[in-house]
Amino acid sequence: MGLFYHIGRYFILLFRVFAKPEKFSIYYRETLKEVQKLGINSMGIVVIISVFMGAVITIQTAYNTENPLLPTYLIGLGTRDSMILEFSSTIVALILAGKIGSNIASEIGTMRVTEQIDALEIMGVNSASYLILPKILASVFFAPLLCIFSMFVGITGGWLAGISVGVVTTENYVYGIQYAFIPFYITYSLIKIIVFAFLITTISAYHGYYATGGSLEVGRSSTKAVVHSSIFILLFNLILTQLLLS
Amino acid sequence: MIEVKNLSKSFSTAQVLKKVNVIFEKGKTNLIIGQSGSGKTVLLKSIVGLHEVDEGKIVYDNVVFNELNFKEKKEMRKQIGMLFQGGALFDSATVEENVMYPLDMFTEMTKSQKRDRANECLKRVNIINANNLYPAEISGGMKKRVAIARAIALNPKYLFCDEPNSGLDPQTAIVIDDLIKEITEEYNMTTIVNTHDMNSVMEIGDKVVFIYKGEKWWEGSKDEIFETNNEELNKFIFASSLSQEIRKLKGNI
Ligand SMILES: Nc1ncnc2c1ncn2[C@@H]1O[C@H](COP(=O)(O)OP(=O)(O)OP(=O)(O)O)[C@@H](O)[C@H]1O
Ligand SMILES: [Mg+2]
């Protein structure tokens, strides 16, 4: 079935997701659960990739600017801008697509093929809204925090790598990360990650919600969720960058 | 009472139900029997509104269910309980939370009232001391019973069961069948059960509807089933039952 079929069905699903909730207290409780599951449980992986990315960027910048005419504070500046502009939003989002995207698709997909979604519908619950809205709220709310967290951790990782390899002093690095700072870059990054979080959650939920068959198909839909989320993240990265930075 | 009038349903690939007309009676256990793939599940899911039908009417005690708007349907659903083939318990919730779920969603009861009601339903289906276990930690037969408890939590007027005893040993299957029949009579519900198990027919079938290739081929009581000379129905009975007794009753050993 064609691309337009999927896009149409995706928007119909979104329309149902944003219908008025049955009971706010239950949605609130579910959202908190999702914050734990999708947000807090992702902090570990965000720390690991951010530290290593910050470290690698610092060392790469150092070796690429090994010219006596270039001041070493450029290393701090380079790490800062790379982390803020691209890594803490786009790369973190790609990693999250792998982690929470597959998680969402397989959870909802399993509920579909074991008729748990039918069971919700039969009770008169709007299953799309009940299952998907809390996930969207949780991830859209938590992703910016993960992004800022990643910026700090990445820049710290860069500093640790820089001083332990001996390519930059603490003083120069700190001077560099403050030099010619443009606050809008942070806004830009946060806007991006909010959009990415929305894309990951909804695309993955879509693939899970319309899974058919058995556990094999659930696995397949979870793979599709990750691949499609990643493609749309890259596409929207391009679009948003053109819109916001040019 | 549920009345199905001229119901047709097709999917993009094929027509599954062809002009089905049937009446399911109140306070009775109505069985839908038929071969695998004959359209039993599609019929049941069309009756409860999980499938849009192409044509026909589904009437619940004078209310034309498939012509209600979204909101009215939702109200109506609170009177419907359904037991799915695999139980369809929520994996991430405990036994007790599963039974409390419809109460959480649709009543203004206090926490302790909800817990009391859940325990009452669990006791009714003979599940004791399993409140804090997860679905993965209980047996298939227990899952079915918990699912029945969840289905009756809101005191429904209509109960639907899709293959309630598939995957169970014969003894447990009878327990589940009897439970469904007892509850039906106790609460005076209109119950519809899908099955391809002749033992269930013998055990609980107040009224039996035989579906063949998407058409209603035969209907009657469980006693009449042994007098019919409907060829397809007889084939079905032989194929689906190895019981000597049933073969004897059909006079063909
Ligand atoms: N969602 C669907 N899309 C397309 N075809 C379907 C769908 N659901 C069921 N069918 C088709 O409808 C026919 C009847 O299926 P149904 O599930 O009702 O059979 P059944 O009588 O319940 O069988 P079983 O005893 O194995 O459960 C089958 O041929 C099936 O392929
Ligand atoms: Mg079936």
Side-chain angles (χ1 to χ4, degrees):
Chain A
M1 274 170 268
L3 181 66
F4 290 108
Y5 172 81
H6 285 290
I7 292 175
R9 206 166 55 154
Y10 171 81
F11 281 106
I12 291 171
L13 180 65
L14 279 192
F15 190 73
R16 289 190 55 206
V17 166
F18 288 104
K20 187 173 161 288
E22 271 90 19
K23 226 176 175 182
F24 281 99
S25 57
I26 291 183
Y27 275 67
Y28 179 71
R29 191 184 72 194
E30 291 300 312
T31 306
L32 290 187
K33 273 193 210 159
E34 298 298 338
V35 165
Q36 169 75 36
K37 222 165 45 186
L38 303 179
I40 295 172
N41 288 350
S42 300
M43 289 184 81
I45 191 161
V46 168
V47 169
I48 294 170
I49 56 169
S50 302
V51 168
F52 281 96
M53 278 184 326
V56 170
I57 298 166
T58 299
I59 295 169
Q60 284 180 350
T61 315
Y63 290 126
N64 284 318
T65 56
E66 246 179 319
N67 184 328
L69 291 178
L70 296 173
T72 56
Y73 69 73
L74 282 182
I75 296 170
L77 185 147
T79 306
R80 178 199 74 201
D81 282 352
S82 307
M83 283 307 297
I84 292 180
L85 283 172
E86 204 54 31
F87 286 79
S88 295
S89 51
T90 312
I91 303 293
V92 165
L94 287 172
I95 301 289
L96 290 181
K99 184 173 184 294
I100 68 176
S102 59
N103 176 308
I104 290 173
S106 56
E107 182 189 323
I108 297 182
T110 303
M111 292 189 74
R112 166 62 77 195
V113 302
T114 57
E115 299 181 307
Q116 291 175 52
I117 291 184
D118 286 341
L120 285 170
E121 287 288 325
I122 214 73
M123 289 177 196
V125 176
N126 176 346
S127 62
S129 170
Y130 173 76
L131 293 175
I132 303 174
L133 189 58
K135 293 188 199 305
I136 297 178
L137 294 178
S139 64
V140 164
F141 160 77
F142 212 81
L145 301 181
L146 283 178
C147 178
I148 289 178
F149 183 62
S150 156
M151 292 173 190
F152 275 105
V153 174
I155 291 170
T156 310
W159 167 68
L160 284 174
I163 56 167
S164 49
V165 182
V167 288
V168 62
T169 62
T170 300
E171 204 184 7
N172 277 337
Y173 189 82
V174 172
Y175 179 76
I177 60 176
Q178 292 169 327
Y179 185 80
F181 175 60
I182 302 173
F184 179 71
Y185 284 1
I186 294 197
T187 316
Y188 158 76
S189 196
L190 292 180
I191 292 174
K192 284 206 304 186
I193 197 134
I194 288 173
V195 172
F196 296 159
F198 183 82
L199 288 171
I200 296 171
T201 328
T202 52
I203 292 174
S204 308
Y206 169 81
H207 281 295
Y209 197 81
Y210 290 110
T212 49
S215 44
L216 211 62
E217 280 80 3
V218 172
R220 219 172 279 151
S221 73
S222 142
T223 308
K224 274 192 213 153
V226 176
V227 173
H228 292 175
S229 302
S230 306
I231 292 172
F232 279 94
I233 287 170
L234 296 173
L235 183 68
F236 274 79
N237 189 29
L238 188 64
I239 295 171
L240 289 173
T241 302
Q242 181 63 25
L243 284 177
L244 295 170
L245 286 192
S246 62
Chain B
M1 187 182 82
I2 296 174
E3 223 180 324
V4 173
K5 292 182 184 167
N6 243 333
L7 179 78
S8 293
K9 168 73 188 166
S10 50
F11 293 103
S12 50
T13 38
Q15 182 162 19
V16 178
L17 296 177
K18 292 159 207 155
K19 298 212 182 280
V20 176
N21 281 292
V22 56
I23 292 177
F24 299 103
E25 284 157 40
K26 189 179 171 127
K28 291 195 173 167
T29 318
N30 301 275
L31 298 193
I32 301 174
I33 60 172
Q35 274 177 353
S36 187
S38 57
K40 302 184 296 294
T41 300
V42 174
L43 176 56
L44 203 65
K45 288 192 173 177
S46 301
I47 294 173
V48 297
L50 286 172
H51 289 318
E52 281 297 327
V53 303
D54 305 340
E55 189 191 348
K57 280 186 184 167
I58 296 142
V59 188
Y60 284 66
D61 292 315
N62 303 325
V63 179
V64 184
F65 182 67
N66 58 324
E67 285 172 4
L68 298 179
N69 68 28
F70 185 74
K71 225 172 158 186
E72 294 166 327
K73 250 185 202 162
K74 221 168 126 170
E75 263 326 290
M76 195 78 191
R77 288 245 162 93
K78 290 170 198 167
Q79 304 178 12
I80 295 178
M82 182 154 178
L83 174 61
F84 288 88
Q85 203 156 345
L89 296 179
F90 304 128
D91 292 324
S92 56
T94 62
V95 163
E96 186 180 77
E97 286 164 354
N98 261 288
V99 182
M100 276 167 63
Y101 184 86
L103 305 170
D104 271 342
M105 214 66 187
F106 299 112
T107 69
E108 299 300 329
M109 291 177 169
T110 64
K111 186 105 187 173
S112 71
Q113 284 172 323
K114 285 186 272 194
R115 185 160 286 143
D116 287 348
R117 174 68 187 151
N119 280 308
E120 199 180 308
C121 296
L122 284 169
K123 215 170 126 199
R124 182 67 195 78
V125 296
N126 263 319
I127 299 275
I128 324 165
N129 290 332
N131 290 30
N132 296 319
L133 297 179
Y134 283 88
E137 299 168 337
I138 60 179
S139 73
M142 283 169 87
K143 276 184 206 162
K144 292 271 163 82
R145 281 187 280 158
V146 174
I148 294 176
R150 185 178 67 182
I152 61 173
L154 286 175
N155 264 324
K157 284 164 72 181
Y158 311 98
L159 181 66
F160 300 90
C161 310
D162 194 7
E163 310 266 357
N165 49 25
S166 70
L168 300 179
D169 63 273
Q171 231 174 342
T172 313
I174 288 179
V175 171
I176 299 286
D177 280 346
D178 288 345
L179 188 59
I180 290 170
K181 190 172 168 70
E182 282 165 28
I183 288 174
T184 300
E185 285 165 9
E186 206 171 305
Y187 299 107
N188 197 23
M189 293 187 289
T190 306
T191 298
I192 305 182
V193 180
N194 263 359
T195 185
H196 47 224
D197 181 357
M198 276 312 288
N199 288 324
S200 298
V201 175
M202 298 298 287
E203 190 75 17
I204 62 167
D206 291 328
K207 168 162 187 173
V208 183
V209 177
F210 175 60
I211 301 288
Y212 179 71
K213 292 188 176 164
E215 287 180 63
K216 186 190 79 182
W217 212 251
W218 185 88
E219 71 178 290
S221 71
K222 72 175 173 199
D223 301 320
E224 285 163 359
I225 228 175
F226 296 101
E227 285 148 22
T228 176
N229 42 24
N230 186 309
E231 199 180 330
E232 294 302 337
L233 177 55
N234 282 338
K235 269 193 215 156
F236 172 79
I237 296 170
F238 284 117
S240 59
S241 174
L242 295 170
S243 154
Q244 289 299 322
E245 199 185 353
I246 292 175
R247 292 193 172 203
K248 222 182 287 171
L249 273 167
K250 286 301 291 184
N252 183 342
I253 302 179

